[in-house]
Amino acid sequence: MNTYENAIELKGVTKRYEGFTLDSLTLNVPKGSVMGFIGQNGAGKTTTIRSLLGITDTDEGEIRLLGLDLRKHEQKIKQRIAVVFDELPFHDLFTARDMGRIFEGIYDGWDYAEYSRYLDLFGLPLKKKIGQFSKGMKMKLQIACALSHNAELLVMDEATTGLDPVVRDEILHLFMEYIKNGERSILMSSHITSDLEKIADSVAFIDNGRLLISGYKDEIIETHGIIRCGRDKLAEIDRSDIVSIRVNEFGTEVMVNDRRRASYKYKDMVLDPVSLDDIMVFYVHGGEKEWS
């Protein structure tokens, strides 16, 4: 049994580009859990993932995966992790059989029997060229490759984007099976927050290169709420309770950061629960007084 506490530890990770900075990101993914990594396009999700995979050189900070320092143990770490990208990185002329042989030469722990099991499970042909696969088939092939060398950490960058709901549900179920033994972990970047609501234990929300909010998913959802009221009622709501205010033709929607406290303070106002989508949208606009 491996004794590390966090599958991923980022401490003060900074990467500067012209016009964008990943700004001193500190984040932990506990071992045996699924963390949803959310944010708009350009928020810094892919830069973060490329940094923790050693693809992008960071300017500052520390990265530890599976208890090991990335700078000192990159090759050892890469034997123990798996990655699924939004676009298939395999050549169109290869077949699933070819990919099995290629990965067998890369990973010490490659299990061809397990790989064959996933191909059967997903209904993927061995000899058909990958260029003739549908998007869903390509994603399933990536996942079959990723899960066939007993990886302890699975990192996914928008892996379910563009897939139909049936395929996404099938894949999410597979991920739940993957982490069931408590020794494996997942970092899942996705725009589809409904997927994360199904399987994530915790979430981290990044915007403009900075971490805005992170923690246990259920706590974050349960803590926040949306007050729906007329503009004439806004003055009654303390600014310290407000994340941001959306104005529409029917009145205002005010996200509050403590739903229980708000239920006592604003008894005559409608207070609704929130989704991860709501939290992402309202926090993006947190620096504005009002938005629409």
Side-chain angles (χ1 to χ4, degrees):
M1 181 180 291
N2 296 300
T3 56
Y4 56 88
E5 181 180 347
N6 293 312
I8 299 174
E9 295 180 359
L10 306 180
K11 186 176 180 181
V13 173
T14 299
K15 177 64 180 178
R16 299 181 186 89
Y17 295 103
E18 186 176 347
F20 175 80
T21 299
L22 184 66
D23 192 1
S24 194
L25 182 65
T26 296
L27 183 67
N28 292 333
V29 178
K31 176 183 175 182
S33 72
V34 179
M35 173 171 276
F37 195 37
I38 60 178
Q40 303 180 94
N41 282 333
K45 300 190 304 299
T46 297
T47 298
T48 302
I49 287 173
R50 289 174 64 87
S51 297
L52 66 86
L53 294 175
I55 299 170
T56 295
D57 290 329
T58 54
D59 298 317
E60 298 168 22
E62 301 173 21
I63 300 174
R64 297 181 68 84
L65 303 179
L66 310 177
L68 301 174
D69 186 298
L70 179 64
R71 293 184 187 277
K72 296 177 182 177
H73 303 286
E74 183 172 348
Q75 293 309 311
K76 186 182 291 187
I77 288 169
K78 286 185 174 178
Q79 283 288 328
R80 297 166 58 190
I81 68 175
V83 187
V84 179
F85 295 104
D86 61 337
E87 292 293 335
L88 187 74
F90 309 152
H91 198 285
D92 282 352
L93 294 178
F94 288 142
T95 65
R97 174 179 283 170
D98 294 331
M99 295 315 305
R101 289 170 177 161
I102 290 168
F103 278 104
E104 190 172 25
I106 295 173
Y107 292 109
D108 297 337
W110 181 257
D111 186 338
Y112 202 93
E114 184 75 346
Y115 179 60
S116 296
R117 186 179 74 82
Y118 281 120
L119 294 184
D120 288 342
L121 179 68
F122 289 147
L124 295 176
L126 265 178
K127 299 178 183 178
K128 187 175 184 178
K129 293 193 186 310
I130 294 170
Q132 298 174 313
F133 281 19
S134 68
K135 184 174 178 63
M137 291 169 70
K138 288 178 179 179
M139 188 55 62
K140 287 177 177 181
L141 178 60
Q142 262 206 94
I143 291 167
C145 292
L147 300 185
S148 296
H149 64 279
N150 197 31
E152 296 163 57
L153 171 63
L154 176 60
V155 178
M156 293 182 292
D157 190 10
E158 300 292 350
T160 57
T161 301
L163 301 180
D164 69 64
V166 174
V167 173
R168 291 207 326 268
D169 196 62
E170 187 180 350
I171 288 171
L172 293 178
H173 178 74
L174 191 67
F175 293 155
M176 295 304 292
E177 289 291 315
Y178 167 79
I179 65 160
K180 198 160 62 173
N181 68 0
E183 293 293 306
R184 296 167 174 167
S185 317
I186 297 176
L187 176 67
M188 183 175 178
S189 159
S190 179
H191 282 100
I192 307 172
T193 54
S194 59
D195 285 353
L196 301 180
E197 286 183 348
K198 288 179 183 176
I199 72 165
D201 301 294
S202 58
V203 292
F205 172 43
I206 190 173
D207 187 58
N208 198 28
R210 295 186 177 187
L211 188 67
L212 291 189
I213 186 171
S214 67
Y216 288 109
K217 175 199 66 184
D218 291 344
E219 286 183 10
I220 290 174
I221 291 174
E222 289 166 10
T223 299
H224 292 77
I226 294 177
I227 293 175
R228 305 184 195 278
C229 63
R231 292 182 66 90
D232 57 316
K233 292 281 191 178
L234 283 180
E236 299 176 26
I237 304 175
D238 293 341
R239 291 301 307 182
S240 62
D241 294 333
I242 297 173
V243 174
S244 69
I245 302 168
R246 175 159 58 190
V247 179
N248 58 49
E249 58 185 304
F250 304 109
T252 63
E253 297 173 313
V254 183
M255 179 168 283
V256 291
N257 50 32
D258 189 330
R259 190 160 84 198
R260 179 174 292 182
R261 182 173 63 198
S263 69
Y264 290 114
K265 291 174 71 173
Y266 315 114
K267 292 181 184 293
D268 60 337
M269 300 184 193
V270 176
L271 179 59
D272 290 334
V274 300
S275 65
L276 282 180
D277 254 352
D278 294 327
I279 289 168
M280 188 166 79
V281 170
F282 276 84
Y283 268 90
V284 163
H285 293 281
E288 306 170 34
K289 186 174 181 182
E290 296 179 5
W291 55 281
S292 59

